[in-house]
Amino acid sequence: MIEYSEQPHYLVAVDCIVFGFDGEHLKILLVKRALEPEINKWSLMGGFIGKEESPDDAANRVLKKNTGLEGVYLEQLQIYGSPDRDPIERTLSVGYFALIDIHKYKNQLNHDFEAKWFLINDRPNLIFDHNQMVADARKKLKYKAAIHPILFEMLPKKFTIPQLHTLFEEVNDTKIDTRNFSRKINSIGILEKLEEKDRLGSKKGAYYFKLDRKNYIEKAQKFMNLLPKLNG
Amino acid sequence: MIEYSEQPHYLVAVDCIVFGFDGEHLKILLVKRALEPEINKWSLMGGFIGKEESPDDAANRVLKKNTGLEGVYLEQLQIYGSPDRDPIERTLSVGYFALIDIHKYKNQLNHDFEAKWFLINDRPNLIFDHNQMVADARKKLKYKAAIHPILFEMLPKKFTIPQLHTLFEEVNDTKIDTRNFSRKINSIGILEKLEEKDRLGSKKGAYYFKLDRKNYIEKAQKFMNLLPKLNG
């Protein structure tokens, strides 16, 4: 008979991969680690799961403590549990990714917190298996973005097609033909054109759009129309 | 300064949600729990993560111990970490789902192991949060099946359209029009028709098909053709 008391016990932590978009580039928010080992090295923001906390609670606490942010898009990525991933003591870590519109929180983040934004493709080397976590989170972001409107979490409520195009390019880490993109995104019918124009980017200006969330979900279904419903 | 030694330590387990298809019904493989609390109640197969094991290692070990199966499709679902989910002591559990072609393992499973198949919609009540795990796994299965060829893990290498139709219905828990389904699945062009017929189901017989995996991935891309690549 297996007894609970004879089983090994472990530390369990969360680590947050925080992605943001500033209208031009996909970025990642990093902190300098505050404890040994690897103190002062660049790291994902993380922390141990407290006695009364669920992993989701811990991720929200860590995000708030390091950024002041509440109510942002936060999703469980996976568990990292290789026995030797932490050199001090076995620690399993639950990875979470968060998506942020950088401009929305710009002032708050710059003044009150130590966290710093890096270009996703020009970031420092990270401690432990955090580089792997970032790679996995990017892959999942790309994959989920193909079927869920999660990228719009990183855009302002009203945005231009050039902004959306840049975000798609950055998330997929590749060039996408501008004219094709514009034609396709309009043909899917998930965007609502507004009257107003953004005149900062060019003389001619670019119309603002907003996402039609309900339509997005319906259209996503169309892509795999063998299935009557596509939830989750 | 946070010290590792001052942090709380927890038990960490894995639980496996094993789905199978027998050509007619989607089923789930359950065991009777072998330890207190809730001994002899129906449960997912699970176990504590050992000192030298990753969570993936533990899930593979648990699956092998309870079913004899190796090399089956096994994927991390999510972590379940509510502080009070286990009444004896805090235990976080990593849920995994496995997909099995029941016929392939029929003899092995019946003779050597205690695990038992139940109809997915007519299963006993499970211990702890295992009912929630099954619900989450079903949702994920449905969702992933829309974009990945994972359902074919539950079918023999050669299968008929009626078998595939039934599996789609069972996974989505809804009726799907037979003629429509047949027309759509053929129009996507992911199946390769074989010469041979299955003559057990009807007098006329039904042609066997096999999956064209490469084509499946290409066609999945087509569904969201804004993106140049869809991996992961």
Side-chain angles (χ1 to χ4, degrees):
Chain A
M1 170 81 73
I2 296 161
E3 297 286 347
Y4 278 51
S5 57
E6 292 163 8
Q7 300 299 316
H9 291 64
Y10 309 116
L11 292 166
V12 189
V14 295
D15 284 299
C16 300
I17 303 105
V18 183
F19 292 120
F21 186 64
D22 62 4
E24 287 181 70
H25 294 292
L26 185 65
K27 291 180 173 175
I28 184 165
L29 193 60
L30 301 172
V31 294
K32 282 195 171 169
R33 183 166 158 95
L35 75 165
E36 292 289 2
E38 307 276 14
I39 193 163
N40 288 329
K41 298 272 179 70
W42 287 106
S43 161
L44 296 171
M45 53 190 75
F48 295 110
I49 297 176
K51 277 187 182 153
E52 310 295 329
E53 284 178 328
S54 69
D56 287 8
D57 293 340
N60 278 296
R61 171 179 55 79
V62 162
L63 197 64
K64 192 179 174 196
K65 183 186 150 219
N66 285 280
T67 66
L69 302 180
E70 286 184 280
V72 304
Y73 184 93
L74 196 63
E75 178 178 332
Q76 212 187 93
L77 179 62
Q78 63 169 92
I79 194 162
Y80 292 83
S82 168
D84 55 1
R85 58 176 295 281
D86 187 316
I88 296 291
E89 187 186 330
R90 182 162 187 185
T91 306
L92 294 100
S93 179
V94 188
Y96 279 85
F97 73 92
L99 303 178
I100 288 175
D101 164 16
I102 293 178
H103 286 303
K104 200 168 161 190
Y105 299 102
K106 206 169 182 178
N107 290 327
Q108 194 177 0
L109 275 167
N110 281 351
H111 297 303
D112 300 341
F113 298 93
E114 299 286 336
K116 193 179 162 192
W117 288 107
F118 288 89
L119 290 173
I120 190 75
N121 289 331
D122 189 17
R123 62 181 188 273
N125 194 37
L126 304 178
I127 64 161
F128 301 168
D129 49 5
H130 289 194
N131 292 310
Q132 186 60 49
M133 291 183 184
V134 174
D136 293 342
R138 280 203 81 174
K139 199 168 156 186
K140 177 138 184 190
L141 175 63
K142 183 169 152 178
Y143 167 77
K144 280 215 74 164
I147 38 172
H148 284 286
I150 58 170
L151 291 189
F152 297 93
E153 299 286 339
M154 290 193 275
L155 286 167
K157 280 234 159 26
K158 52 182 193 181
F159 50 83
T160 65
I161 300 290
Q163 281 177 333
L164 183 61
H165 176 249
T166 304
L167 179 55
F168 264 76
E169 284 194 334
E170 291 271 322
V171 165
N172 289 286
D173 204 13
T174 188
K175 287 282 161 198
I176 301 173
D177 181 78
T178 312
R179 190 172 299 190
N180 253 336
F181 179 83
S182 183
R183 186 176 53 75
K184 283 181 185 170
I185 198 94
N186 280 312
S187 76
I188 291 179
I190 54 172
L191 300 183
E192 190 182 321
K193 194 175 178 178
L194 304 176
E195 298 283 317
E196 197 183 346
K197 268 188 173 180
D198 167 28
R199 297 193 183 275
L200 296 173
S202 68
K203 204 171 154 188
K204 196 178 148 205
Y207 278 104
Y208 282 117
F209 288 78
K210 68 174 192 180
L211 175 65
D212 181 344
R213 255 169 222 277
K214 189 173 160 289
N215 229 340
Y216 191 100
I217 289 159
E218 277 169 18
K219 301 297 174 178
Q221 270 180 261
K222 249 178 117 174
F223 302 133
M224 190 59 182
N225 53 10
L226 285 168
L227 299 175
K229 271 186 288 180
L230 178 66
N231 300 317
Chain B
M1 169 83 71
I2 296 161
E3 297 284 349
Y4 278 49
S5 56
E6 294 164 6
Q7 300 300 317
H9 292 64
Y10 308 115
L11 291 167
V12 189
V14 295
D15 283 298
C16 299
I17 303 104
V18 183
F19 292 119
F21 186 63
D22 63 4
E24 287 182 67
H25 294 292
L26 185 65
K27 292 182 172 174
I28 185 165
L29 193 59
L30 301 173
V31 294
K32 283 196 170 168
R33 184 166 157 97
L35 74 165
E36 292 289 1
E38 308 275 16
I39 192 162
N40 288 330
K41 298 272 179 67
W42 288 106
S43 159
L44 296 171
M45 53 190 74
F48 296 110
I49 297 176
K51 276 187 181 153
E52 310 295 330
E53 285 179 327
S54 70
D56 287 7
D57 293 340
N60 279 295
R61 171 179 55 79
V62 162
L63 196 65
K64 192 180 174 195
K65 183 187 150 219
N66 285 280
T67 67
L69 303 180
E70 287 183 280
V72 303
Y73 185 93
L74 196 63
E75 179 178 333
Q76 212 188 90
L77 180 62
Q78 64 167 90
I79 194 162
Y80 292 83
S82 167
D84 55 2
R85 58 175 295 281
D86 187 316
I88 297 290
E89 186 185 330
R90 182 162 188 186
T91 306
L92 295 100
S93 179
V94 187
Y96 280 83
F97 73 93
L99 303 179
I100 287 175
D101 164 14
I102 292 178
H103 286 302
K104 199 169 162 187
Y105 300 101
K106 206 169 183 179
N107 289 326
Q108 194 175 1
L109 275 168
N110 281 351
H111 297 302
D112 301 340
F113 298 94
E114 299 287 334
K116 192 179 162 193
W117 288 108
F118 288 88
L119 290 175
I120 190 76
N121 289 331
D122 188 19
R123 63 181 188 272
N125 195 37
L126 304 177
I127 64 161
F128 300 169
D129 50 4
H130 289 194
N131 292 309
Q132 185 60 47
M133 290 183 185
V134 174
D136 292 343
R138 279 203 83 173
K139 199 168 157 186
K140 178 138 183 189
L141 176 62
K142 183 169 153 177
Y143 168 78
K144 280 215 73 165
I147 40 172
H148 283 286
I150 59 170
L151 291 189
F152 298 92
E153 299 286 339
M154 290 192 276
L155 286 168
K157 279 235 158 29
K158 51 181 194 184
F159 51 83
T160 65
I161 300 290
Q163 281 176 330
L164 183 60
H165 175 249
T166 304
L167 180 55
F168 264 77
E169 284 194 333
E170 291 270 322
V171 166
N172 289 286
D173 204 13
T174 189
K175 287 281 162 201
I176 301 173
D177 181 77
T178 311
R179 191 173 298 190
N180 252 337
F181 179 83
S182 183
R183 188 176 52 75
K184 282 181 186 170
I185 198 92
N186 280 312
S187 76
I188 291 179
I190 54 171
L191 300 183
E192 191 181 320
K193 194 176 179 177
L194 304 177
E195 299 283 319
E196 197 184 344
K197 268 186 173 181
D198 168 27
R199 298 194 181 274
L200 294 174
S202 68
K203 204 171 153 187
K204 197 178 148 204
Y207 278 105
Y208 282 117
F209 288 78
K210 67 174 194 180
L211 175 66
D212 181 342
R213 256 169 221 276
K214 191 174 158 289
N215 230 341
Y216 191 100
I217 288 159
E218 275 167 22
K219 302 297 174 178
Q221 270 180 260
K222 249 178 118 176
F223 302 134
M224 191 57 183
N225 53 10
L226 285 168
L227 300 175
K229 272 185 289 180
L230 179 65
N231 299 319

